[in-house]
Amino acid sequence: MQLLDGTACSQQIRQEIALEVEAIVAAGKRPPHLAAVLVGDDGASQNYVGMKVRDCEEVGFGSTTVRMKASTTEAELLAKIDELNSNDAIDGFIVQLPLPSQINENNVILAIDPKKDVDGFCPENVGNLSLGLPTFVSATPNGIMELLRRYEIETEGKHCVVLGRSNIVGTPIAVLMSRNTNPGNATVTLAHSRTKNLKALCASADILIVAIGRTEFVTADMVKDGAVVIDVGQTRVPDNTRKSGFRNVGDVDFEQVKDKCSYITFVTGGVGPMTRASLLQNTLKAYQRR
Ligand code: NAP
């Protein structure tokens, strides 16, 4: 079994980006700039935005955090998005999800200028992804593809089972893996909570990508010998032995499954850091396109 090391891979990507930023600045231009909108005071969201800002600093990007109170109305948030859309100093921005219940997430996504939609959630970018046109691929699927590419994992003609059909992970990764690209060219089955014979289906996968948010759901009997297993799941469970008071648990029972796999990601240092690196790649792309 070989561990797919998302931390090492993402560090490589950051170094590549940092070099590009150095060259941009040396040429007398301003560096790329990412803004993050944080509504409310959800601990996990604050954490994620904090990490994204630190990532920007590390590669030399500018960054802005827009903090809005939990009682922000949809109209107030849409007005802020308008401002960011027309602010020439900002190349791309994200609105950290989830949003408070009074705000309709779809209306927010629809309001973001697709050219600045570095999360790749807007219909135009999702449509371009499906058509194989230039786009911002949302960060997690992009990170998974990059991990497969950098480890030179053979995907052509393989059976890839994607477990979970969310708009931000399962559906786009299923599209990407089925496209005529490398990585890609896999025969893809997209499974979800209504899929029959899930265990047998998963056990038939050469490549199993799991994004369901159910802790340690994938057990050894669901994994074929020699399979590549990508665990996207990340659920916080209380853990008093940790300073933070919690730990992240994946959707795959790593200890049970690892020895059956040719390659596997671990919940820490796997898909998470690749997702963060992808946001930086998308921000650089947004800057270069302008
Ligand atoms: P989501 O919106 O939470 O949706 C879950 C999906 O899993 C749905 O399609 C659901 O099916 C399916 N599902 C749930 N229980 C199932 C079961 N017992 N059997 C089969 N399918 C089942 O998904 P998400 O936003 O992609 O998040 C999934 C996990 O990935 C979460 O743990 C999240 O924290 C993590 N995540 C991690 C990263 C990262 O950077 N590492 C990024 C994004 C998400 P139905 O559609 O039928 O309901």
Side-chain angles (χ1 to χ4, degrees):
M1 175 278 287
Q2 189 177 348
L3 200 62
L4 293 169
D5 188 343
T7 302
C9 244
S10 70
Q11 263 158 10
Q12 211 177 42
I13 294 169
R14 280 159 215 253
Q15 278 163 10
E16 291 162 10
I17 294 175
L19 283 177
E20 289 203 46
V21 175
E22 258 179 54
I24 289 168
V25 174
K29 297 182 203 143
R30 70 159 179 86
H33 195 112
L34 174 76
V37 182
L38 180 60
V39 186
D41 34 40
D42 175 72
S45 293
Q46 285 182 343
N47 215 2
Y48 293 141
V49 168
M51 288 191 295
K52 288 167 189 174
V53 168
R54 281 199 298 281
D55 290 343
C56 284
E57 284 165 5
E58 197 189 305
V59 298
F61 287 0
S63 71
T64 302
T65 307
V66 180
R67 291 175 196 281
M68 302 183 81
K69 52 190 189 311
S71 58
T72 298
T73 63
E74 188 175 306
E76 286 167 338
L77 178 55
L78 293 179
K80 180 56 71 183
I81 290 174
D82 262 355
E83 257 177 53
L84 295 170
N85 281 340
S86 52
N87 183 340
D88 269 345
I90 287 171
D91 302 295
F93 65 96
I94 60 148
V95 178
Q96 185 65 44
L97 303 179
L99 292 167
S101 57
Q102 73 274 15
I103 301 175
N104 180 319
E105 281 185 6
N106 284 335
N107 291 342
V108 170
I109 289 169
L110 285 168
I112 299 172
D113 179 346
K115 292 191 285 306
K116 293 193 175 187
D117 169 35
V118 285
D119 256 341
F121 292 165
C122 288
E124 186 175 319
N125 286 321
V126 176
N128 285 341
L129 171 91
S130 304
L131 295 171
L133 296 172
T135 188
F136 297 114
V137 176
S138 57
T140 304
N142 192 55
I144 296 169
M145 295 300 276
E146 197 69 45
L147 203 53
L148 295 172
R149 186 177 300 119
R150 288 181 185 239
Y151 274 87
E152 297 180 355
I153 289 174
E154 180 72 58
T155 59
E156 183 169 320
K158 304 286 183 190
H159 183 208
C160 173
V161 172
V162 177
L163 195 45
R165 57 178 162 185
S166 72
N167 287 342
I168 61 166
V169 186
T171 298
I173 194 68
V175 172
L176 289 168
M177 288 297 285
S178 65
R179 293 202 64 79
N180 182 3
T181 52
N182 182 24
N185 274 323
T187 305
V188 178
T189 307
L190 181 54
H192 44 77
S193 68
R194 313 297 166 90
T195 300
K196 306 274 186 231
N197 302 321
L198 199 59
K199 276 187 187 256
L201 181 70
C202 291
S204 73
D206 303 306
I207 302 168
L208 180 60
I209 302 176
V210 192
I212 56 175
R214 301 273 180 274
T215 54
E216 298 181 338
F217 181 88
V218 173
T219 44
D221 54 338
M222 296 169 76
V223 176
K224 181 170 158 177
D225 281 327
V228 176
V229 175
I230 309 278
D231 186 0
V232 183
Q234 214 173 18
T235 304
R236 281 184 171 196
V237 300
D239 185 343
N240 291 332
T241 67
R242 305 279 173 106
K243 207 170 128 199
S244 60
F246 70 86
R247 73 193 148 91
N248 283 316
V249 178
D251 290 345
V252 175
D253 188 332
F254 182 83
E255 284 308 317
Q256 253 196 46
V257 164
K258 66 180 196 307
D259 294 326
K260 295 190 83 177
C261 303
S262 54
Y263 294 92
I264 186 169
T265 62
F266 185 56
V267 60
T268 309
V271 174
M274 292 304 290
T275 299
R276 286 165 58 188
S278 293
L279 182 64
L280 297 174
Q281 286 178 313
N282 277 349
T283 304
L284 180 62
K285 195 193 269 187
Y287 172 89
Q288 286 163 339
R289 279 187 183 173
R290 292 176 76 219

